[in-house]
Short mmCIF file of all heavy atoms in Angstrom, two decimals:
data_model
loop_
_atom_site.label_atom_id
_atom_site.label_comp_id
_atom_site.label_asym_id
_atom_site.label_seq_id
_atom_site.Cartn_x
_atom_site.Cartn_y
_atom_site.Cartn_z
N HIS A 42 195.88 82.68 13.81
CA HIS A 42 195.87 81.22 13.71
C HIS A 42 196.17 80.51 15.02
O HIS A 42 196.36 79.32 15.05
CB HIS A 42 196.84 80.76 12.62
CG HIS A 42 196.53 81.35 11.30
ND1 HIS A 42 195.43 80.92 10.57
CD2 HIS A 42 197.14 82.30 10.56
CE1 HIS A 42 195.39 81.62 9.43
NE2 HIS A 42 196.42 82.45 9.40
N ALA A 43 196.13 81.27 16.10
CA ALA A 43 196.39 80.65 17.44
C ALA A 43 195.20 79.78 17.85
O ALA A 43 194.05 80.00 17.44
CB ALA A 43 196.58 81.75 18.47
N GLU A 44 195.51 78.74 18.63
CA GLU A 44 194.50 77.84 19.08
C GLU A 44 194.57 77.67 20.58
O GLU A 44 195.61 77.90 21.18
CB GLU A 44 194.67 76.46 18.43
CG GLU A 44 194.49 76.41 16.93
CD GLU A 44 194.66 75.03 16.38
OE1 GLU A 44 195.04 74.08 17.12
OE2 GLU A 44 194.43 74.88 15.18
N PHE A 45 193.44 77.30 21.19
CA PHE A 45 193.37 76.99 22.59
C PHE A 45 192.53 75.70 22.66
O PHE A 45 191.42 75.66 22.23
CB PHE A 45 192.73 78.13 23.37
CG PHE A 45 192.60 77.87 24.85
CD1 PHE A 45 193.73 77.88 25.64
CD2 PHE A 45 191.37 77.55 25.43
CE1 PHE A 45 193.67 77.63 27.01
CE2 PHE A 45 191.33 77.31 26.78
CZ PHE A 45 192.46 77.31 27.54
N ASP A 46 193.09 74.69 23.31
CA ASP A 46 192.43 73.37 23.39
C ASP A 46 192.00 72.87 21.99
O ASP A 46 190.90 72.40 21.80
CB ASP A 46 191.21 73.42 24.30
CG ASP A 46 191.60 73.47 25.79
OD1 ASP A 46 192.73 73.07 26.11
OD2 ASP A 46 190.75 73.86 26.59
N SER A 47 192.89 73.01 21.04
CA SER A 47 192.68 72.61 19.64
C SER A 47 191.52 73.34 18.98
O SER A 47 191.00 72.86 17.96
CB SER A 47 192.47 71.08 19.56
OG SER A 47 193.59 70.40 20.03
N ARG A 48 191.10 74.46 19.52
CA ARG A 48 190.05 75.25 18.90
C ARG A 48 190.63 76.63 18.55
O ARG A 48 191.33 77.21 19.37
CB ARG A 48 188.86 75.39 19.84
CG ARG A 48 188.11 74.13 20.06
CD ARG A 48 186.85 74.28 20.86
NE ARG A 48 186.59 75.60 21.36
CZ ARG A 48 186.20 75.91 22.61
NH1 ARG A 48 186.08 74.92 23.50
NH2 ARG A 48 186.00 77.13 22.98
N PRO A 49 190.36 77.12 17.35
CA PRO A 49 190.91 78.47 16.99
C PRO A 49 190.33 79.56 17.88
O PRO A 49 189.17 79.49 18.26
CB PRO A 49 190.52 78.63 15.55
CG PRO A 49 189.42 77.66 15.26
CD PRO A 49 189.57 76.55 16.31
N LEU A 50 191.20 80.53 18.23
CA LEU A 50 190.68 81.71 19.01
C LEU A 50 189.77 82.53 18.17
O LEU A 50 188.84 83.16 18.73
CB LEU A 50 191.90 82.52 19.47
CG LEU A 50 192.80 81.89 20.52
CD1 LEU A 50 193.97 82.78 20.81
CD2 LEU A 50 192.02 81.56 21.78
N TYR A 51 190.01 82.58 16.91
CA TYR A 51 189.12 83.36 15.99
C TYR A 51 188.50 82.36 15.03
O TYR A 51 189.15 81.47 14.54
CB TYR A 51 189.93 84.40 15.17
CG TYR A 51 190.29 85.61 15.96
CD1 TYR A 51 191.45 85.69 16.70
CD2 TYR A 51 189.42 86.71 15.99
CE1 TYR A 51 191.75 86.82 17.45
CE2 TYR A 51 189.70 87.83 16.73
CZ TYR A 51 190.86 87.89 17.44
OH TYR A 51 191.14 88.98 18.16
N PRO A 52 187.21 82.55 14.77
CA PRO A 52 186.59 81.67 13.79
C PRO A 52 187.17 81.91 12.39
O PRO A 52 187.68 82.99 12.13
CB PRO A 52 185.11 82.09 13.81
CG PRO A 52 185.07 83.43 14.39
CD PRO A 52 186.29 83.55 15.28
N ARG A 53 187.14 80.91 11.59
CA ARG A 53 187.65 81.07 10.20
C ARG A 53 186.83 82.12 9.50
O ARG A 53 185.58 82.04 9.46
CB ARG A 53 187.53 79.72 9.48
CG ARG A 53 188.15 79.79 8.11
CD ARG A 53 188.01 78.42 7.44
NE ARG A 53 188.38 78.51 6.07
CZ ARG A 53 189.56 78.13 5.61
NH1 ARG A 53 190.41 77.54 6.43
NH2 ARG A 53 189.89 78.26 4.33
N PRO A 54 187.50 83.14 8.97
CA PRO A 54 186.75 84.21 8.30
C PRO A 54 186.07 83.69 7.07
O PRO A 54 186.54 82.76 6.42
CB PRO A 54 187.77 85.27 8.01
CG PRO A 54 189.08 84.62 8.08
CD PRO A 54 188.90 83.41 8.98
N PRO A 55 184.96 84.26 6.71
CA PRO A 55 184.31 83.90 5.43
C PRO A 55 185.24 84.19 4.28
O PRO A 55 186.29 84.80 4.46
CB PRO A 55 183.07 84.80 5.40
CG PRO A 55 182.95 85.44 6.68
CD PRO A 55 184.26 85.32 7.41
N SER A 56 184.85 83.81 3.10
CA SER A 56 185.68 84.10 1.93
C SER A 56 185.58 85.57 1.62
O SER A 56 184.90 86.00 0.70
CB SER A 56 185.16 83.21 0.76
OG SER A 56 185.31 81.90 1.04
N TRP A 57 186.30 86.34 2.40
CA TRP A 57 186.30 87.78 2.21
C TRP A 57 187.29 88.16 1.17
O TRP A 57 188.37 87.51 1.01
CB TRP A 57 186.66 88.49 3.51
CG TRP A 57 185.63 88.48 4.56
CD1 TRP A 57 184.28 88.31 4.38
CD2 TRP A 57 185.81 88.68 5.95
NE1 TRP A 57 183.64 88.38 5.56
CE2 TRP A 57 184.54 88.60 6.54
CE3 TRP A 57 186.92 88.92 6.73
CZ2 TRP A 57 184.35 88.75 7.93
CZ3 TRP A 57 186.75 89.07 8.07
CH2 TRP A 57 185.44 88.98 8.68
#
Side-chain angles (χ1 to χ4, degrees):
H42 300 289
E44 294 182 355
F45 181 73
D46 286 339
S47 300
R48 291 186 357 227
L50 292 176
Y51 282 90
R53 184 180 172 102
S56 297
W57 286 339

